[in-house]
Amino acid sequence: MVRPVNPPASWWRSGLAVLVVLGMLPVIGNIFRNDSSVSRCEWDGQVMRPEAAVTLELAGRSVTCCDVRCARNWLASHSERPTLIQVRDEHGGDPIDSADAFFVRSAVVTNRANGNRWHVFGDRETALRHARESRGRLMRGDEHPFAGVRGLE
Amino acid sequence: MIVNAYAILSLFVCGLQCAVAVWLTGRWLNSRRAWSSGWTDDGAEVVERNAYLMMTLALVLLGLDLASWPLLYLLLQSYVPSWPGVMCIDGVTRIGTGSLGASRFLPGLLVTLQVFKPLVMLIGGAWLVIYLANRATSKAPLMRRLLWGLLLIGVTSLCDGVCTAGYLLIPKQEDHLAAGCCTQVTSTTTTRSSEPLLAGVSGTELTVVFMLLWAGLLFLLLDSIRKQRSGRKWMGGLLAITLVVAVLGGLFLVDVLSPALLQRPHHCPYDLVSELPESVIGIVLFMAGSFWVAAGAIASFCADVPETREILPGLQARVLFLGLFSYLGSFSLLSVQWCVL
């Protein structure tokens, strides 16, 4: 006795067609998302403001975080040490090597989501003025946000 | 209550859900009175009259439950900008932790909701299979079981609706003890789920174990469909493997898949809702696959009577087919997503 095919053959064909469509969804999604226009922080995935971005240059790749706090968190959870940390001046957004930048920790929060209070300046005068006006302090020496990063020493 | 479009829509849906669930439970109690006083002609007529209404109500209720599930996550996503330290749904789920006011119930209510919603779907799926088996017979031998199933659907949906209403209406204001020498204010909302769920197991080990078990389950499903296996032992084994695969699938999602798809070190699957919405379809298909297989297996225990023995293997094969293709769809979508990124 021949056992009836159950479910019918048409179900199998439809199922295979559905699988093909499902397999195409991520490709279509990627095309429509157009991710190249939006860059996200590699620590918490927030959409980045270019003027606050911090770039960590590692061996063969670079990691971009949305601000100093995220960059510090990234470094704390990874063993890789960067050869260069590039930050951006809060006034104008010019890229600066973190060793040459002036960091102020003040009462002004720049990022509501992660509570970042680190401010980056290219010149000492502006940094000191911000520190005075916003109940902050210039962070130097051991207090430098990337002081413990061995790759830079 | 935080009022936005999703909150109003959720409140409307949960109001409808509660109303239909109360109606269904009321009709059930009415029928119960009739059949507990013996199967008299009048009693049988009352049960028959109520049965069609109750089954229609159950289908409406299952539809509402299904709609309320994605709505819950859209609601939580819409709440993200309401607190300064919250970055995603994960942060919203922690609002109220350690609070002294009514908001301390919020995390518990969310956990309860995330248990009730799949539970209602599982009960609903199993009920639907039993309903289809019963409909194919001439004497409706599974009517009593179906009626008990209706009560389960009604009560679970009512609990789900009440929890949703509670979550929506409780003020989302956190009241903490003031910090002093013996107290410490802990901010739970700014932290993120950066730790994997299985601390001692590497991602590779988890992936290998999960993939092997999943592949084994798919092979068993294919075998069950082609040979129309429907014995209780076989289906019980299938149900047990499905449960293990479902649990491992959840761990795999948190520990391996979401960090890989999102390309960041956090173990937060909620971010997929806003950043890679198509991957949510893959997760939903995986859950649907588990529900179909579980529903088909439960039918072996609840719908196996002499009148249904002829039709049950074929019906189960079709249900397992849906499970198999849901799993395959999930695998196809998520693996392509992984490769594309």
Side-chain angles (χ1 to χ4, degrees):
Chain A
M1 187 183 131
V2 179
R3 200 164 207 165
V5 180
N6 201 350
S10 62
W11 282 38
W12 293 93
R13 282 195 296 271
S14 311
L16 288 173
V18 169
L19 287 187
V20 173
V21 172
L22 285 171
M24 282 160 60
L25 273 183
V27 181
I28 297 167
N30 239 31
I31 293 166
F32 276 93
R33 224 180 343 266
N34 190 18
D35 268 346
S36 57
S37 61
V38 175
S39 48
R40 289 180 179 273
C41 171
E42 295 202 32
W43 173 251
D44 61 15
Q46 288 185 77
V47 175
M48 283 192 297
R49 290 181 304 123
E51 67 272 19
V54 176
T55 310
L56 312 173
E57 296 292 345
L58 305 163
R61 68 181 182 123
S62 64
V63 166
T64 313
C65 297
C66 54
D67 51 38
V68 174
R69 183 164 178 165
C70 278
R72 277 161 60 88
N73 283 339
W74 192 95
L75 286 167
S77 67
H78 289 79
S79 54
E80 288 173 274
R81 297 293 95 178
T83 50
L84 173 75
I85 300 178
Q86 199 176 60
V87 290
R88 283 173 186 273
D89 188 350
E90 227 176 74
H91 290 179
D94 296 330
I96 328 163
D97 186 334
S98 68
D100 303 330
F102 296 91
F103 292 90
V104 175
R105 210 166 137 76
S106 75
V108 179
V109 175
T110 63
N111 185 331
R112 269 163 50 94
N114 66 11
N116 176 60
R117 292 195 288 127
W118 288 99
H119 298 261
V120 185
F121 300 95
D123 69 286
R124 194 182 163 84
E125 284 310 307
T126 323
L128 286 171
R129 193 169 65 240
H130 175 82
R132 234 182 359 259
E133 288 168 355
S134 313
R135 291 190 294 138
R137 202 151 55 85
L138 191 63
M139 308 301 263
R140 284 171 297 189
D142 285 348
E143 291 179 327
H144 187 283
F146 304 114
V149 181
R150 260 176 287 138
L152 294 173
E153 287 165 358
Chain B
M1 179 184 172
I2 298 171
V3 181
N4 63 25
Y6 285 113
I8 293 167
L9 188 60
S10 297
L11 202 60
F12 174 71
V13 171
C14 91
L16 266 181
Q17 204 179 325
C18 289
V20 177
V22 167
W23 191 3
L24 175 63
T25 314
R27 287 285 97 192
W28 187 89
L29 289 172
N30 189 8
S31 304
R32 172 77 184 142
R33 265 198 300 276
W35 97 59
S36 60
S37 56
W39 281 100
T40 58
D41 285 348
D42 286 347
E45 199 189 318
V46 170
V47 174
E48 198 179 322
R49 209 173 45 231
N50 280 339
Y52 292 109
L53 175 63
M54 286 193 291
M55 284 177 193
T56 312
L57 287 176
L59 289 174
V60 171
L61 201 50
L62 287 174
L64 286 170
D65 287 333
L66 192 63
S68 73
W69 202 354
L71 201 54
L72 173 70
Y73 292 104
L74 292 173
L75 172 81
L76 296 179
Q77 181 68 38
S78 74
Y79 280 174
V80 171
S82 305
W83 296 276
V86 171
M87 295 180 199
C88 70
I89 294 176
D90 186 57
V92 178
T93 61
R94 298 176 193 203
I95 292 293
T97 309
S99 175
L100 296 173
S103 60
R104 69 180 183 276
F105 298 114
L106 293 173
L109 278 173
L110 273 181
V111 171
T112 314
L113 278 175
Q114 293 188 80
V115 170
F116 267 122
K117 291 198 186 288
L119 187 67
V120 175
M121 285 301 114
L122 179 62
I123 296 170
W127 179 84
L128 205 63
V129 178
I130 300 168
Y131 168 76
L132 291 173
N134 186 58
R135 211 177 61 166
T137 62
S138 54
K139 292 182 180 171
L142 300 170
M143 188 52 106
R144 265 178 195 241
R145 292 175 195 187
L146 275 177
L147 292 175
W148 280 107
L150 287 176
L151 179 70
L152 262 180
I153 292 172
V155 171
T156 335
S157 297
L158 187 60
C159 293
D160 180 58
V162 169
C163 287
T164 310
Y167 182 77
L168 285 165
L169 296 174
I170 287 175
K172 315 284 182 297
Q173 191 100 35
E174 290 185 297
D175 303 319
H176 291 287
L177 278 173
C181 62
C182 303
T183 58
Q184 187 183 5
V185 177
T186 52
S187 172
T188 53
T189 54
T190 51
T191 55
R192 300 197 52 147
S193 42
S194 54
E195 294 300 317
L197 290 175
L198 284 179
V201 181
S202 76
T204 318
E205 287 168 351
L206 178 62
T207 307
V208 169
V209 172
F210 169 64
M211 286 297 171
L212 282 176
L213 267 176
W214 198 16
L217 177 63
L218 293 180
F219 177 76
L220 289 177
L221 283 175
L222 193 63
D223 193 50
S224 306
I225 295 164
R226 291 189 67 82
K227 294 182 180 160
Q228 296 202 0
R229 293 179 193 267
S230 63
R232 284 189 179 185
K233 275 187 188 166
W234 178 267
M235 290 309 241
L238 212 55
L239 181 62
I241 298 170
T242 306
L243 287 176
V244 174
V245 167
V247 172
L248 280 178
L251 293 171
F252 174 75
L253 170 68
V254 176
D255 286 0
V256 181
L257 191 67
S258 56
L261 291 183
L262 294 164
Q263 294 177 332
R264 70 183 72 125
H266 300 290
H267 298 265
C268 181
Y270 295 118
D271 282 349
L272 293 170
V273 177
S274 58
E275 288 177 37
L276 293 172
E278 68 271 18
S279 64
V280 177
I281 299 173
I283 297 164
V284 168
L285 281 172
F286 180 83
M287 291 166 87
S290 305
F291 287 145
W292 282 124
V293 177
I298 290 170
S300 276
F301 298 94
C302 300
D304 188 17
V305 290
E307 290 92 329
T308 57
R309 231 151 257 168
E310 281 285 304
I311 49 124
L312 200 56
L315 179 64
Q316 278 176 318
R318 287 175 182 231
V319 173
L320 294 183
F321 174 90
L322 293 175
L324 174 72
F325 271 84
S326 299
Y327 275 142
L328 287 174
S330 166
F331 180 78
S332 148
L333 196 151
L334 293 173
S335 52
V336 173
Q337 180 100 64
W338 197 323
C339 296
V340 163
L341 285 168

